[in-house]
C-alpha cells in the first residue's frame, strides 16, 4: 500500500496500470498452470481409456463362451504337418493288442477352428501381459507357459480377475456372491461368409467373360463383313475400268 499514490491523476493512473500488469501476469501464470495440468489429465485419461479398451477386448476373447469345450488346444499347424509327415513315413506305435496307434490329426474344419481360437487367445494373453495388473500378468504368464509347453489351458481365473478389475475401474457395483456365474472360456470364432462372396465373384467373372467373348465374336463378324464388302466393291470398280 505504500507504493500506491492517489495524490494526483498521474499517480493514480500509474498505480492502476501497475495493478493491471500485476493482475495480468498472475492470470497468465494461472492459465499456464491450468493448461499443463489439463494436458496431463487428458493424457492420463487417454491412457486409461486405451488400457480399458484393450483389457475389455481381451476379456471378451478369453471369456466369451460359457458352454462347450472351455480349454484352449495349444497345437500348431507345424505340429499337424509333422504328424502328417510321420503318417506318410509310416511312423506308428503298436498298442498292447498289436494294433498300430497313429498320431491324431485334425486338419479339417474343427482343427482350423481350434487354431483360430488359439491365435486369438495368444494375442489376448499378450495384451494382458502388457497392460494387466500384477495378478493378471502372473495368470497370463502361467497360461502362456502352459501353452508353449503344449498343455491345454483354461482362462476362467484370468477372466474373473479381468472382470473384477474392469468393473472396479468403471465404478460399477460389485457382483453379489449370491450370483453364480459359470466358468467362462475363450470365445468361439464365427463362421465367415467367404464362400458366398467367392461364389458371387465367380458368377460375376463368368458372366463378364461370356459378355467379353460375345463382344469379341460380334467384332469378328463385323470385321468379316467389312472385308467382304470392301473386296466386292474393289472387284466391281476393276471390271468397270476394263470395260471402259
Amino acid at each position: 500500500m505504500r507504493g500506491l499514490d492517489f495524490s494526483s491523476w498521474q499517480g493514480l493512473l500509474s498505480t492502476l496500470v501497475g495493478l493491471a500488469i500485476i493482475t495480468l501476469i498472475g492470470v497468465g501464470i494461472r492459465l499456464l498452470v491450468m493448461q499443463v495440468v489439463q494436458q496431463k489429465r487428458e493424457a492420463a485419461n487417454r491412457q486409461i481409456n486405451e488400457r480399458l479398451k484393450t483389457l475389455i477386448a481381451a476379456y471378451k476373447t478369453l471369456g466369451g463362451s460359457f458352454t462347450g469345450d472351455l480349454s484352449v488346444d495349444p497345437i500348431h499347424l507345424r505340429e499337424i504337418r509333422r504328424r502328417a509327415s510321420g503318417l506318410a513315413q509310416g511312423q506308428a506305435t503298436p498298442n498292447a493288442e498289436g494294433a498300430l496307434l497313429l498320431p491324431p490329426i485334425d486338419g479339417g474344419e474343427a482343427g482350423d477352428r481350434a487354431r483360430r481360437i488359439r491365435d486369438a487367445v495368444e494375442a489376448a494373453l499378450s495384451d494382458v501381459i502388457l497392460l494387466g495388473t500384477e495378478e493378471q500378468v502372473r495368470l497370463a504368464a502361467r497360461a502362456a507357459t502352459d501353452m508353449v509347453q503344449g498343455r491345454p489351458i483354461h482362462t476362467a481365473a484370468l477372466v474373473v480377475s479381468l472382470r473384477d478389475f474392469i468393473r472396479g475401474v468403471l465404478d460399477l457395483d460389485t457382483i453379489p456372491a449370491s450370483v453364480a456365474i459359470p466358468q467362462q472360456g475363450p470365445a468361439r470364432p464365427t463362421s465367415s461368409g467367404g464362400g458366398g462372396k467367392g461364389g458371387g465373384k465367380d458368377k460375376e467373372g463368368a458372366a463378364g467373360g461370356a459378355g467379353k467373348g460375345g463382344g469379341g465374336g460380334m467384332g469378328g463378324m463385323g470385321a468379316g463383313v467389312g472385308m467382304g464388302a470392301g473386296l466386292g466393291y474393289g472387284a466391281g470398280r476393276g471390271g468397270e475400268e476394263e470395260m471402259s
Side-chain angles (χ1 to χ4, degrees):
M1 297 296 292
R2 295 180 179 178
L4 301 180
D5 184 12
F6 299 101
S7 59
S8 61
W9 288 104
Q10 293 81 3
L12 180 61
L13 183 60
S14 61
T15 300
L16 293 177
V17 170
L19 291 175
I21 293 174
I22 294 173
T23 303
L24 289 176
I25 293 175
V27 171
I29 294 174
R30 182 179 179 183
L31 290 176
L32 181 61
V33 172
M34 290 178 62
Q35 185 177 4
V36 172
V37 172
Q38 185 177 1
Q39 289 178 354
K40 290 183 177 180
R41 187 177 300 172
E42 290 178 354
N45 290 335
R46 284 196 299 269
Q47 292 178 359
I48 293 174
N49 291 335
E50 291 296 328
R51 183 184 184 187
L52 273 180
K53 187 186 300 183
T54 303
L55 291 180
I56 288 173
Y59 171 81
K60 292 180 179 179
T61 300
L62 297 174
S65 62
F66 295 92
T67 58
D69 188 7
L70 301 182
S71 62
V72 181
D73 187 5
I75 189 171
H76 285 261
L77 184 59
R78 63 176 179 269
E79 181 68 16
I80 295 178
R81 291 174 179 173
R82 186 182 67 82
R83 295 182 184 182
S85 64
L87 283 178
Q89 295 175 3
Q91 296 177 359
T93 58
N95 59 4
E97 299 177 355
L100 295 179
L101 296 178
L102 301 178
I105 296 177
D106 189 2
E109 183 178 356
D112 181 69
R113 185 179 185 181
R115 289 193 297 273
R116 283 188 290 166
I117 292 176
R118 185 209 61 226
D119 293 342
V121 169
E122 281 184 346
L125 290 177
S126 177
D127 292 337
V128 172
I129 291 175
L130 177 64
L131 299 174
T133 60
E134 182 180 357
E135 178 186 5
Q136 295 165 6
V137 171
R138 183 172 61 252
L139 293 173
R142 184 186 306 169
T145 302
D146 292 341
M147 184 177 293
V148 170
Q149 294 177 357
R151 294 192 296 267
I153 64 172
H154 295 270
T155 59
L158 180 57
V159 168
V160 172
S161 179
L162 287 171
R163 182 176 62 225
D164 294 341
F165 174 76
I166 293 171
R167 292 183 66 88
V169 172
L170 295 178
D171 198 16
L172 300 176
D173 296 335
T174 58
I175 299 176
S178 59
V179 178
I181 300 177
Q183 287 190 353
Q184 297 174 246
R188 293 184 289 271
T190 57
S191 60
S192 60
K197 294 181 179 179
K201 290 182 179 179
D202 293 341
K203 291 180 180 178
E204 291 178 0
K212 292 180 180 178
M218 293 296 293
M221 186 182 297
V225 172
M227 291 177 63
L231 291 175
Y233 178 73
R237 291 294 304 273
E240 292 177 357
E241 290 178 358
E242 290 178 357
M243 290 176 64
S244 61

